[in-house]
Amino acid sequence: MAQWSRRLHALELKTKLTLLLLIIAVIPLAFLGTFSYRKASSEIQIKACEIILENLSQVNYSLTYFVKDIEQLSMYIYSNRDIQKILAKPADRSIQEKYQDEQTVNQILKSFLGFKVWDIELYVLGENGDRYFTGDLLPNVYRDYNPNWGLIRKARMAGGSVVWDTNYSLKKMEDYGAVLSSGRQLKQVGSGLPLGYFVVNIMEPALAYKYDKAHQYPGGEVYLLDSNGYVISSLPYKQQVGTRLDKPYMTEVLQGKKGFFRNQVKDSQSDNMVIYDTSDTSGFKLVSVIPVNALTQESSSIRNLTIFIVLAGMLISYCLAYLLAEYITRPLRKLRLLMKDVEKGNLDVVFTSKYQDEVGHLGLSFNKMLQRIKHLIDQIYAKQLKVQEAELKAIQAQFTPHFLYNALDSINWMARIHRIETISNTAVALGELLRFSINRSHPIIQIREDLKQIHNYLKIQEVRYRDKIEVQLHIHEDILDLYVPKLLIQPLVENAISHGLEMKKGSGFLKIEGKRVDDWVQIIVEDDGVGIAEWKLATLAEDDSYVSDREGKTGIGLSNLRRRLALHFGSSYQLDIESEVGAGTKVLLRIPVITHPSEVDTYV
């Protein structure tokens, strides 16, 4: 990955632009082509499934009529007078009479098979022992039938109504025989006494012929199922006829009425589309299973056309991208050559461009830069002289703080000689404050050092206000060795005196408290001065640029403090002001616990 990154950085701008423009053009084209192909393939697949479903519905409709014809046939047999009379005769009648009855019933049965192309077998089973049938042989199950046997039992329980039953056993491996049977109990019309049963066996080819047209796609399968999922007939394979179809999609097919869905097939190159329809009359389900790739073969031409368009678009995009990159980078290459001349020391080159675009403006800026460099070179010596002069003045300015220290030290000794302790203490405190404020050491100091300057400041204020202000200082020992920004507390004390206690009539009280609260250092400066009006308090809370309306008071101490806190701690600090007019002001300051000056940088 790193090697490819280095190669990419080493490419020329022209090559990078060509690749970028090519990617910008090819990606949407490829995406559009893929989307169009998938959309067309999906639409073709859906349309094909809808056509197949309509075809299945028509086949199922035809099967429904076939079932109705069988039911009408059984109803005719039920109501036929000749059959009623014959089945009501005793079993011990003469052989000649039985022969005549057999001829009569066979003539009636053959008349139904003569005018319709049916592959069915008809059986009339009398309670008196008569057996009439259209096939070559009479199955043993019908010769001596058991009234509790499947189809006979269903017909007996139906009491004269038509019943249907699926044959679950096959006679031979290739001769599938009857796969569906219809039965009806025959009763005497007048008395209702049972006369026997009429059975219709439907052969598998008769059903396969009905839905053979639904099998149109290579690799597809068609199943005719009963309501319980047993295979009545199937194409092209017959092995599962008479068994319950065991497929992953059977749950959805049995629960639904009609429709189609995609079925994922494990270890297969293509999934299957399952299309099914259910007969409202018989409940039979016609299921067609078709591989998806067989449905989407018609979309191969769309796929080939899409690939051709994408490849042609890539070729055209590359040519256009190359020409556009060449047009953009030509003036840049010219400017690069001029810069190489400047690197060699030739400052007399000029970039010319007939275009007023960004590159043209860049060339004009290059020309102005060269002119400026020439001008700066001409003035370099004069500026060096001015720098030397400025340095000399800076050296001379170093004597000013020493002069102030010496002056304050002289005042201190003169006060001591004359035993004026107040002036001596004031001069010492003022000197310490001056030395501390202009000291260029680290801006983060121990709280212990910052408190020393608070003491010096308060000494000077005691001289000014004498007994007007009573000060209480409560600083816990466990925070003295922690660190704070330089002159952090002094602005709060100064504001409390100048804005709160100075304007108060009579004496005032000032309390300074410092302690550790969990991972915070908490400083509280509280006074009982004149307080702050609500509108001013709101202004202080919302606007850091507030300026005091008192003459000689700038009001910038608090705003500077906030800016310094934000500079050092970001948002990891708290500065709250509570005040009431006539009652005083309380300022609460919280900063993180700092055990080393370097920790301050981690908050910003």
Side-chain angles (χ1 to χ4, degrees):
M1 187 66 182
Q3 184 178 2
W4 281 104
S5 179
R6 289 193 295 270
R7 290 182 179 180
L8 182 61
H9 289 305
L11 293 177
E12 293 184 350
L13 180 60
K14 177 182 176 181
T15 305
K16 291 181 181 178
L17 282 175
T18 302
L19 293 176
L20 178 61
L21 294 174
L22 183 62
I23 292 174
I24 293 175
V26 168
I27 289 180
L29 186 62
F31 177 79
L32 180 60
T34 303
F35 175 78
S36 300
Y37 168 70
R38 289 183 177 274
K39 185 66 175 178
S41 178
S42 176
E43 290 295 329
I44 291 175
Q45 180 178 328
I46 293 175
K47 291 297 181 183
C49 290
E50 291 176 349
I51 293 174
I52 295 173
L53 180 59
E54 181 64 25
N55 192 10
L56 292 182
S57 299
Q58 293 178 359
V59 172
N60 228 342
Y61 191 71
S62 175
L63 288 173
T64 300
Y65 269 94
F66 178 71
V67 169
K68 289 182 177 180
D69 285 345
I70 297 297
E71 292 178 352
Q72 289 178 359
L73 169 61
S74 65
M75 187 61 193
Y76 177 81
I77 295 296
Y78 183 95
S79 59
N80 187 273
R81 293 182 178 180
D82 293 335
I83 293 179
Q84 286 269 327
K85 292 179 181 179
I86 293 173
L87 294 181
K89 292 180 179 181
D92 57 352
R93 65 188 184 278
S94 65
I95 296 176
Q96 183 179 3
E97 187 178 2
K98 287 184 177 180
Y99 177 76
Q100 293 176 352
D101 293 340
E102 182 179 358
Q103 294 296 320
T104 301
V105 174
N106 287 341
Q107 186 66 30
I108 294 173
L109 296 179
K110 289 180 180 179
S111 65
F112 290 108
L113 300 180
F115 64 89
K116 285 196 176 183
V117 183
W118 284 350
D119 191 1
I120 61 177
E121 293 180 355
L122 308 180
Y123 301 90
V124 178
L125 313 176
E127 292 281 351
N128 58 2
D130 291 356
R131 300 290 183 267
Y132 308 102
F133 54 92
T134 60
D136 297 332
L137 297 173
L138 177 66
N140 292 330
V141 294
Y142 296 148
R143 186 181 305 276
D144 297 318
Y145 64 84
N146 187 347
N148 294 319
W149 174 76
L151 179 65
I152 302 299
R153 180 180 62 85
K154 289 183 179 180
R156 178 172 55 81
M157 296 180 64
S161 299
V162 177
V163 294
W164 292 88
D165 193 25
T166 305
N167 293 346
Y168 305 127
S169 61
L170 306 178
K171 294 189 299 182
K172 298 180 181 179
M173 291 300 294
E174 296 182 358
D175 181 10
Y176 291 93
V179 294
L180 186 64
S181 297
S182 174
R184 183 192 292 269
Q185 187 181 33
L186 303 178
K187 293 184 178 182
Q188 198 169 22
V189 175
S191 62
L193 295 175
L195 298 175
Y197 298 91
F198 177 67
V199 178
V200 180
N201 281 350
I202 302 172
M203 313 308 287
E204 199 275 339
L207 295 175
Y209 172 78
K210 294 293 183 180
Y211 63 85
D212 182 62
K213 294 181 181 180
H215 181 250
Q216 298 176 344
Y217 288 87
E221 300 175 0
V222 181
Y223 300 96
L224 177 62
L225 310 176
D226 65 6
S227 58
N228 295 320
Y230 285 87
V231 181
I232 301 173
S233 180
S234 65
L235 283 176
Y237 309 110
K238 307 294 184 179
Q239 288 83 355
Q240 292 181 332
V241 172
T243 64
R244 196 174 192 276
L245 188 61
D246 185 17
K247 297 292 184 179
Y249 51 77
M250 281 301 298
T251 301
E252 188 168 350
V253 169
L254 292 177
Q255 292 178 351
K257 184 176 181 181
K258 65 182 299 184
F260 54 87
F261 58 90
R262 189 180 185 120
N263 177 58
Q264 294 183 349
V265 182
K266 294 183 178 179
D267 302 328
S268 178
Q269 296 180 353
S270 175
D271 295 340
N272 291 331
M273 290 300 299
V274 180
I275 306 102
Y276 65 97
D277 182 75
T278 306
S279 173
D280 294 331
T281 303
S282 62
F284 295 158
K285 291 182 178 289
L286 198 58
V287 182
S288 179
V289 182
I290 304 173
V292 174
N293 53 15
L295 293 175
T296 56
Q297 282 182 352
E298 299 179 7
S299 62
S300 59
S301 59
I302 299 177
R303 178 194 60 200
N304 297 334
L305 179 61
T306 302
I307 294 175
F308 174 77
I309 293 175
V310 170
L311 293 177
M314 291 176 62
L315 180 61
I316 296 174
S317 299
Y318 174 78
C319 295
L320 294 177
Y322 179 84
L323 294 176
L324 184 59
E326 172 69 20
Y327 172 78
I328 293 175
T329 59
R330 187 184 297 118
L332 291 176
R333 293 199 301 271
K334 178 181 178 182
L335 183 59
R336 184 183 63 180
L337 294 176
L338 294 178
M339 288 183 176
K340 287 186 176 180
D341 290 340
V342 174
E343 290 177 359
K344 296 177 181 179
N346 182 12
L347 301 180
D348 296 327
V349 298
V350 177
F351 178 81
T352 57
S353 176
K354 59 182 179 180
Y355 302 107
Q356 299 298 322
D357 54 7
E358 286 78 2
V359 179
H361 291 297
L362 181 62
L364 293 177
S365 299
F366 174 76
N367 295 334
K368 292 180 181 179
M369 180 187 68
L370 288 181
Q371 293 177 1
R372 182 63 177 169
I373 290 175
K374 291 179 182 179
H375 181 69
L376 291 176
I377 291 175
D378 294 338
Q379 295 181 344
I380 188 64
Y381 295 107
K383 288 193 174 183
Q384 285 181 346
L385 293 176
K386 292 182 179 180
V387 169
Q388 292 177 357
E389 182 180 355
E391 290 178 352
L392 180 60
K393 290 182 178 180
I395 293 173
Q396 292 174 351
Q398 296 295 324
F399 292 98
T400 301
H402 294 287
F403 172 76
L404 293 175
Y405 296 151
N406 293 334
L408 290 173
D409 189 57
S410 299
I411 295 173
N412 177 32
W413 284 107
M414 289 175 64
R416 288 188 178 185
I417 292 173
H418 294 282
R419 298 181 179 180
I420 307 176
E421 294 297 329
T422 302
I423 296 177
S424 174
N425 293 337
T426 303
V428 172
L430 183 58
E432 290 293 331
L433 278 177
L434 180 62
R435 184 178 293 106
F436 181 77
S437 62
I438 66 175
N439 187 9
R440 296 184 179 180
S441 60
H442 200 284
I444 307 301
I445 63 172
Q446 288 184 330
I447 296 178
R448 186 187 308 276
E449 295 296 325
D450 205 40
L451 285 177
K452 289 181 180 179
Q453 310 315 314
I454 297 297
H455 283 292
N456 291 328
Y457 177 77
L458 291 175
K459 286 181 181 180
I460 297 173
Q461 296 299 339
E462 287 178 4
V463 176
R464 179 179 179 185
Y465 296 105
R466 297 186 181 275
D467 298 332
K468 181 179 177 62
I469 301 176
E470 179 184 352
V471 180
Q472 289 187 3
L473 193 62
H474 300 289
I475 306 297
H476 290 208
E477 293 289 337
D478 58 347
I479 70 170
L480 292 179
D481 293 329
L482 300 179
Y483 287 82
V484 294
K486 188 177 180 180
L487 293 175
L488 182 70
I489 309 174
Q490 191 269 343
L492 301 179
V493 177
E494 182 179 356
N495 282 343
I497 295 175
S498 60
H499 294 287
L501 298 174
E502 181 180 348
M503 295 181 291
K504 181 181 180 180
K505 296 181 180 180
S507 61
F509 175 78
L510 174 64
K511 180 181 178 181
I512 304 171
E513 179 183 355
K515 62 180 179 180
R516 178 169 178 169
V517 179
D518 296 332
D519 293 331
W520 300 88
V521 173
Q522 176 176 291
I523 305 296
I524 297 178
V525 178
E526 185 176 1
D527 67 80
D528 60 351
V530 296
I532 305 174
E534 291 185 5
W535 68 270
K536 288 185 178 180
L537 191 62
T539 303
L540 287 174
E542 298 176 359
D543 187 5
D544 287 345
S545 61
Y546 169 73
V547 178
S548 174
D549 56 359
R550 292 187 57 204
E551 183 179 357
K553 301 295 181 180
T554 62
I556 62 174
L558 191 59
S559 61
N560 282 338
L561 178 61
R562 282 178 172 160
R563 283 193 290 270
R564 290 174 60 207
L565 289 171
L567 177 64
H568 288 297
F569 302 107
S571 60
S572 300
Y573 75 92
Q574 179 182 354
L575 181 61
D576 295 332
I577 305 175
E578 298 178 5
S579 183
E580 182 179 351
V581 176
T585 302
K586 178 181 178 180
V587 180
L588 183 144
L589 171 63
R590 281 188 176 183
I591 63 173
V593 171
I594 307 298
T595 59
H596 192 272
S598 61
E599 297 178 10
V600 175
D601 298 333
T602 63
Y603 293 93
V604 181

